[in-house]
Amino acid sequence: MKKIVIIGAGGHSKVLQDIIRASDGYRLMAILDDQYKVLKKKEDLYFGPISSFKDLFIHFECKLIIAIGKNETRMKLVNELNVNAMNYETVIHPTAVIGQDVMIGSGTVIMPNVVLNAGAKIENHVILNTSSVIEHDAHLNDFVHIAPNATLTGAARIGTGTLIGAGATVIPSIKIGEWCTVGAGSTVIKDMPDAATAVGSPAKIIK
């Protein structure tokens, strides 16, 4: 059974805890957040500051998962922790639908009712939120966050650190650059450059 340490104690962490408890083969060992000053055990779970992950690695054979929704913060933590990619677990809710030849990187979280269709490629530390749909041959780079009910159609390309808002749609073969934001409910019908913000249906770049 894989022992899991969650970094982060906010709302995203609560959902991740539910996924781990709903999945076979996992045991939640600890929740680490800097709101906790020292490492303490409460019942069968440890709570402590983020720095205490090293102590848990010494005493247990654990895997990490970062439960931080904000892409910039998630990337910063990965860089600061500086641990091997093999030390991160990929967590998939049992209701998710995963097609053939799908690649999923380390540290990625796939939430309830997500659909990942054939040939999709998901890189590291990506969040696929509740009921999002990633169609065939789409490619999501590191630290992307796809919000609930968003749909990426076939062969969409999403750059590092980009946020696709709740209920947004990206039409086939569109390329969205790095660190972009697509507003909730938007429909992206044209490529987006790096660091752009787009809203509306059809989506227009406003920043």
Side-chain angles (χ1 to χ4, degrees), residues 141-153:
N141 278 300
D142 296 344
F143 303 106
V144 165
H145 187 162
I146 308 299
N149 293 301
T151 299
L152 306 184
T153 56

Side-chain angles (χ1 to χ4, degrees), residues 7 20 33 61 92-93 127 130 167-168 200-201:
I7 295 180
I20 290 170
D33 192 287
E61 193 173 330
I92 302 173
H93 193 276
I127 297 171
T130 307
S201 184

Side-chain angles (χ1 to χ4, degrees), residues 50-157:
I50 293 172
S51 60
S52 60
F53 85 92
K54 295 178 182 178
D55 297 324
L56 294 169
F57 273 179
I58 291 171
H59 294 289
F60 307 102
E61 193 173 330
C62 298
K63 295 279 191 175
L64 289 174
I65 189 80
I66 297 179
I68 304 289
K70 189 174 181 181
N71 298 338
E72 294 90 338
T73 305
R74 200 160 64 258
M75 185 178 73
K76 181 181 177 183
L77 274 171
V78 168
N79 291 335
E80 289 176 351
L81 294 172
N82 193 30
V83 300
N84 191 292
M86 293 181 65
N87 292 123
Y88 287 101
E89 184 61 26
T90 296
V91 177
I92 302 173
H93 193 276
T95 62
V97 177
I98 311 295
Q100 294 183 353
D101 300 318
V102 171
M103 192 216 83
I104 303 171
S106 64
T108 286
V109 178
I110 300 177
M111 294 192 177
N113 301 312
V114 167
V115 175
L116 259 175
N117 276 330
K121 185 176 181 180
I122 313 299
E123 300 286 357
N124 305 310
H125 303 286
V126 170
I127 297 171
L128 301 182
N129 224 312
T130 307
S131 297
S132 56
V133 176
I134 313 300
E135 274 294 349
H136 66 88
D137 303 306
H139 184 186
L140 281 62
N141 278 300
D142 296 344
F143 303 106
V144 165
H145 187 162
I146 308 299
N149 293 301
T151 299
L152 306 184
T153 56
R157 299 286 187 268

Side-chain angles (χ1 to χ4, degrees), residues 16-36:
L16 188 52
Q17 291 170 47
D18 282 346
I19 294 172
I20 290 170
R21 293 183 177 115
S23 305
D24 294 332
Y26 291 133
R27 178 186 172 190
L28 182 58
M29 292 294 297
I31 299 171
L32 304 183
D33 192 287
D34 285 343
Q35 66 176 286
Y36 308 119

